[in-house]
Amino acid sequence: MLHPKKSFLLLLLLSAAVLSQASCRGGPCERVRADKLSFESRQGVASLTPGYQVEALVPLELLQDQMRKAFMQFREFSFQFNTLGQVGKFLGTFKLHPHQLALVNDNGQLMVATDFVVKDHQNNSLFNMGVQSAVMHAFEKDHVRFAVTPDAFRVMGVVIDEAAVGMLISHFRAQIPPTIAAFLPGYLVNEAAGLAIKEFKKIWARDIESKVAQAVAQHASVQVKLPPLPFSGFNLAAIGNALSLQLTTQAGTQHPLAPLSAVNLASDEIKVRMSGGLLAALGNQAIQEGLIPARYNTQGQADPEGSFVPGLSWTPSERPFQLMLWSEGDVCARVHLSALPQVAIVDSNAVVSIENDNIEEVWGPWWFEAGMHAFEVWQKTAEQSTDLALKVALAQNQLPLPLTPTNLTFGPGGLEASMVLAGQEKR
């Protein structure tokens, strides 16, 4: 019994004399041509489908760590109290130091709480001061930048710890020489501490606030690098313990990502989701750009003179990746194949394979349909297109951090990739 591929080639040779004289005319060829035009038309309007096609999930803790490191680069700010009467002349210069930063999800609005410590001239901590601000974000074609802006920083005001007055009283008493303290009424020291708090707020509003805001804004920012895709829209949402960057592209896709209702990421984990429709669109774009062969012959081989033209799409199902092949040349035919791409991680690299592939439908001469099982173009084209999409999705520049993929999965909706900081095991 002949191997199916050999049977196909034999049939092809027997029919060669007739086929060389034939051309793609009549009803069957019009049917193929119409189907191809319909496919291309669907791809063109698919971009109107609402929803996002790429989602990057970043744990708030990881983003917080990056902003905290930047915040701690803020330099100290020096000031003096000038309205404290007899007590003031014994006090030196005070300094404002960055102490802590925390991100907070406030009903979907990302807020940052910054904590400063006020120290005396001997570097002793006197009291802490908290300032809140909204974290602003700006979307560009290749990155999203999260930052504390000067305007957002100022409008939230200042909250001084209730223990600040008591700490100042103790500090002031320690600074006054004992010989003078013996004749200095205690209420003056208490009044001086109260005046110091009031004056500090005035100093803050008049001299410090804008300078601190500018300095914090300069340092407390993080830029998230985006993969090289034609992004056209951006939305930010907080889901569980993660920040969700939801992006749409100019590529036509019929099936956007299904929104997640809950997320619980490890502190060092980044998750990227990409819709299957975008994977297919990337494959079609790669075909147009010559990264994937644009023509195949009847033997399933890439051939610039071949009559078969491929097209890719994605339909959420058991075998979601769809390959269409049309021929309007000597062989007038249409082939529809489907499969589920598989991906494995080998030495930190993604390796794509095609499994569970199936021939859904074939239009064409009987001998062509009989030999279709010899076609290997499907696996080659599907593997090339999914591999290209993976390289885009897993670009090692999603954050200013080295990332290593730990889990990659294809499902009916598309691709889901988990990555962790390089050199760390996933917890």
Side-chain angles (χ1 to χ4, degrees):
M1 182 176 180
L2 287 175
H3 187 276
K5 186 172 184 178
K6 293 181 179 178
S7 300
F8 170 64
L9 294 177
L10 178 60
L11 288 167
L12 184 61
L13 290 172
L14 292 174
S15 306
V18 176
L19 289 174
S20 63
Q21 311 263 328
S23 62
C24 186
R25 299 192 184 118
C29 289
E30 289 300 325
R31 184 186 181 195
V32 171
R33 188 174 297 111
D35 184 79
K36 183 173 181 292
L37 290 174
S38 175
F39 176 88
E40 293 170 346
S41 176
R42 290 195 304 271
Q43 302 309 304
V45 300
S47 58
L48 300 177
T49 303
Y52 51 94
Q53 302 150 316
V54 178
E55 181 177 35
L57 295 159
V58 182
L60 287 175
E61 185 176 347
L62 181 58
L63 189 60
Q64 174 178 275
D65 287 344
Q66 294 301 302
M67 293 195 74
R68 182 189 294 124
K69 290 176 182 177
F71 172 67
M72 294 305 292
Q73 296 177 28
F74 163 69
R75 290 188 175 185
E76 62 187 28
F77 184 86
S78 300
F79 63 95
Q80 289 182 322
F81 293 120
N82 299 314
T83 61
L84 301 184
Q86 299 180 58
V87 176
K89 64 182 180 181
F90 299 108
L91 305 177
T93 299
F94 294 82
K95 295 179 180 179
L96 188 71
H97 293 261
H99 179 62
Q100 190 58 273
L101 178 147
L103 287 180
V104 180
N105 175 15
D106 184 9
N107 294 322
Q109 170 65 62
L110 193 61
M111 305 292 295
V112 61
T114 54
D115 189 33
F116 295 88
V117 59
V118 175
K119 297 184 178 183
D120 63 13
H121 63 285
Q122 296 177 337
N123 210 37
N124 298 313
S125 297
L126 299 181
F127 62 89
N128 284 23
M129 184 198 73
V131 180
Q132 283 192 323
S133 172
V135 177
M136 312 305 289
H137 62 271
F139 166 62
E140 299 293 342
K141 63 180 181 179
D142 62 349
H143 70 273
V144 178
R145 182 172 178 266
F146 298 92
V148 176
T149 66
D151 290 339
F153 187 87
R154 287 198 294 266
V155 299
M156 300 307 295
V158 179
V159 179
I160 298 178
D161 190 277
E162 294 180 357
V165 175
M167 296 177 67
L168 277 176
I169 290 173
S170 299
H171 170 70
F172 289 178
R173 289 190 183 280
Q175 303 304 311
I176 299 171
T179 55
I180 297 178
F183 300 97
L184 191 66
Y187 74 88
L188 288 180
V189 179
N190 295 350
E191 288 180 356
L195 287 172
I197 294 296
K198 292 180 180 179
E199 185 180 359
F200 175 76
K201 290 183 178 180
K202 292 180 180 179
I203 293 173
W204 170 269
R206 185 185 68 235
D207 302 324
I208 305 177
E209 184 179 65
S210 61
K211 295 179 182 178
V212 171
Q214 291 288 347
V216 172
Q218 178 182 356
H219 292 295
S221 65
V222 172
Q223 182 169 293
V224 179
K225 189 73 173 177
L226 299 175
L229 292 173
F231 291 115
S232 58
F234 170 81
N235 183 55
L236 186 68
I239 307 175
N241 72 337
L243 197 64
S244 171
L245 284 65
Q246 302 166 353
L247 300 125
T248 55
T249 74
Q250 298 171 7
T253 58
Q254 290 179 301
H255 304 285
L257 288 170
L260 297 175
S261 58
V263 175
N264 185 22
L265 298 180
S267 61
D268 59 353
E269 179 183 11
I270 304 291
K271 184 166 289 187
V272 176
R273 301 170 68 217
M274 183 178 288
S275 72
L278 182 56
L279 296 173
L282 290 174
N284 287 326
Q285 180 179 331
I287 291 172
Q288 294 174 5
E289 295 176 353
L291 301 176
I292 296 175
R295 287 188 173 274
Y296 298 86
N297 58 31
T298 53
Q299 299 179 30
Q301 299 171 338
D303 183 350
E305 304 300 324
S307 63
F308 281 91
V309 177
L312 302 171
S313 65
W314 188 282
T315 302
S317 62
E318 182 181 356
R319 291 182 293 272
F321 213 124
Q322 314 293 312
L323 171 69
M324 310 299 295
L325 293 164
W326 300 275
S327 173
E328 300 177 53
D330 291 342
V331 177
C332 187
R334 168 200 181 263
V335 182
H336 176 194
L337 305 106
S338 64
L340 174 64
Q342 300 289 332
V343 60
I345 299 173
V346 179
D347 296 330
S348 298
N349 294 314
V351 178
V352 177
S353 62
I354 296 300
E355 297 182 10
N356 195 24
D357 52 316
N358 185 60
I359 298 177
E360 299 289 341
E361 191 175 23
V362 179
W363 302 347
W366 68 268
W367 54 266
F368 177 78
E369 294 186 26
M372 258 308 299
H373 289 282
F375 251 72
E376 296 177 356
V377 59
W378 160 234
Q379 290 193 351
K380 293 178 182 178
T381 305
E383 287 174 3
Q384 285 177 312
S385 58
T386 51
D387 184 63
L388 173 71
L390 276 177
K391 288 177 180 178
V392 173
L394 303 181
Q396 300 292 298
N397 58 358
Q398 301 299 308
L399 281 176
L401 301 165
L403 300 172
T404 301
T406 58
N407 185 54
L408 304 171
T409 306
F410 279 106
L415 169 71
E416 186 171 295
S418 293
M419 294 169 280
V420 297
L421 303 186
Q424 298 186 37
E425 294 182 358
K426 185 177 177 179
R427 292 184 293 218

